């Protein structure tokens, strides 16, 4: 039987953004199965509550928090609420993201701005708030996992989506180099095609 002790997260406190459905939900459930208590962060409150119920059914603590990751005040309040509920924060998965289809010669600026705001600025605002929380804790430490995409390195969607995900990869490198001295570990995952509700609707 495989030794899964390296994946034991018993007692750890985590949050996942965009966790109501899709990749985020998968991350949240996996963290819970490994032993972590998990906060579900999503704009979709009803779906978020269902995922939180699923986490609690696994015997873990959970809460559902509505948050627009493009708004700094909401992000800061979300992290404070999660840390207040759990007593601390150990792990954060910044997964919330969108894609707006359209040819680059026709897409309007509003669509561009929205994708960059959610996929890149939102990831940064969350990482910043999470790092600030880690720095308030004793001992100072924490794990941040940013979700990018294979679209960061291959041309398969459009400029706004690919550009935002490439930005996440390079931003993650910078934050890892900058915050390593605080014992804050920052990593990035770039999934390939995953059949999620977002993909199923296109």
């Amino acid at each position: 039987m495989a030794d899964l002790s390296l994946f034991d997260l018993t007692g750890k406190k985590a949050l996942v953004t965009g966790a109501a459905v899709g990749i985020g939900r998968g991350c949240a459930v996996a963290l819970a199965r490994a032993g972590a208590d998990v906060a579900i962060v999503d704009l979709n409150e009803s779906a978020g509550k269902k995922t939180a119920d699923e986490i609690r059914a696994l015997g873990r603590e959970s809460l559902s928090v509505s948050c627009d990751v493009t708004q700094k005040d909401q992000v800061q309040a979300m992290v404070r609420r999660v840390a207040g509920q759990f007593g601390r924060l150990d792990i954060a998965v910044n997964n919330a993201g969108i894609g707006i289809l359209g040819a680059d010669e026709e897409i309007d600026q509003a669509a561009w701005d929205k994708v960059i705001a959610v996929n890149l600025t939102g990831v940064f605002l969350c990482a910043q708030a999470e790092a600030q929380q880690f720095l308030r804790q004793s001992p100072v430490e924490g794990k941040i996992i940013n979700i990018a995409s294979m679209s960061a390195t291959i041309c398969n969607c459009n400029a706004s989506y690919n550009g935002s995900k490439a930005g996440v990869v390079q931003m993650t490198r910078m934050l890892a180099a900058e915050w390593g001295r605080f014992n804050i570990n920052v990593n990035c995952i770039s999934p390939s095609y995953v059949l999620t509700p977002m993909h199923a609707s296109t």
Side-chain angles (χ1 to χ4, degrees):
M1 187 174 188
D3 180 6
L4 300 179
S5 61
L6 289 175
F7 300 94
D8 184 11
L9 298 176
T10 301
K12 298 297 184 181
K13 313 299 182 181
L15 71 81
V16 182
T17 69
V21 297
I23 291 174
R25 176 188 164 279
C27 290
V29 171
L31 288 166
R33 286 177 175 163
D37 298 322
V38 188
I40 306 303
V41 181
D42 206 289
L43 275 176
N44 188 333
E45 291 188 69
S46 60
K49 288 177 181 177
K50 289 180 181 178
T51 303
D53 287 342
E54 187 176 356
I55 300 298
R56 285 189 283 268
L58 295 172
R60 310 302 174 198
E61 186 178 353
S62 186
L63 70 154
S64 175
V65 184
S66 177
C67 178
D68 181 346
V69 298
T70 71
Q71 301 301 309
K72 184 172 182 175
D73 58 342
Q74 291 190 36
V75 171
Q76 294 278 333
M78 175 271 291
V79 171
R80 286 195 301 268
R81 181 179 171 191
V82 171
Q85 176 87 13
F86 287 160
R88 63 180 291 112
L89 179 65
D90 301 297
I91 304 163
V93 180
N94 298 318
N95 165 77
I98 62 169
I100 299 178
L101 297 179
D104 286 313
E105 69 273 15
E106 297 175 353
I107 198 165
D108 61 28
Q109 185 177 345
W112 168 275
D113 289 345
K114 186 173 182 179
V115 171
I116 297 299
V118 176
N119 293 4
L120 184 56
T121 304
V123 171
F124 173 75
L125 291 176
C126 288
Q128 182 185 56
E130 292 148 7
Q132 290 169 349
Q133 176 61 37
F134 295 150
L135 289 168
R136 288 191 289 266
Q137 299 175 170
S138 180
V140 175
E141 61 182 358
K143 309 289 185 182
I144 296 174
I145 303 99
N146 297 326
I147 306 299
S149 168
M150 67 176 185
S151 300
T153 54
I154 67 171
C155 299
N156 69 327
C157 189
N158 61 16
S160 60
Y161 187 81
N162 287 43
S164 68
K165 294 301 185 177
V168 169
V169 171
Q170 183 64 2
M171 179 178 66
T172 299
R173 291 191 181 105
M174 183 65 234
L175 298 181
E178 190 174 6
W179 294 342
R181 69 185 187 275
F182 301 129
N183 203 27
I184 298 173
N185 182 256
V186 189
N187 276 303
C188 182
I189 299 173
S190 293
S192 180
Y193 293 108
V194 178
L195 186 57
T196 64
M198 184 173 76
H199 277 146
S201 66
T202 60

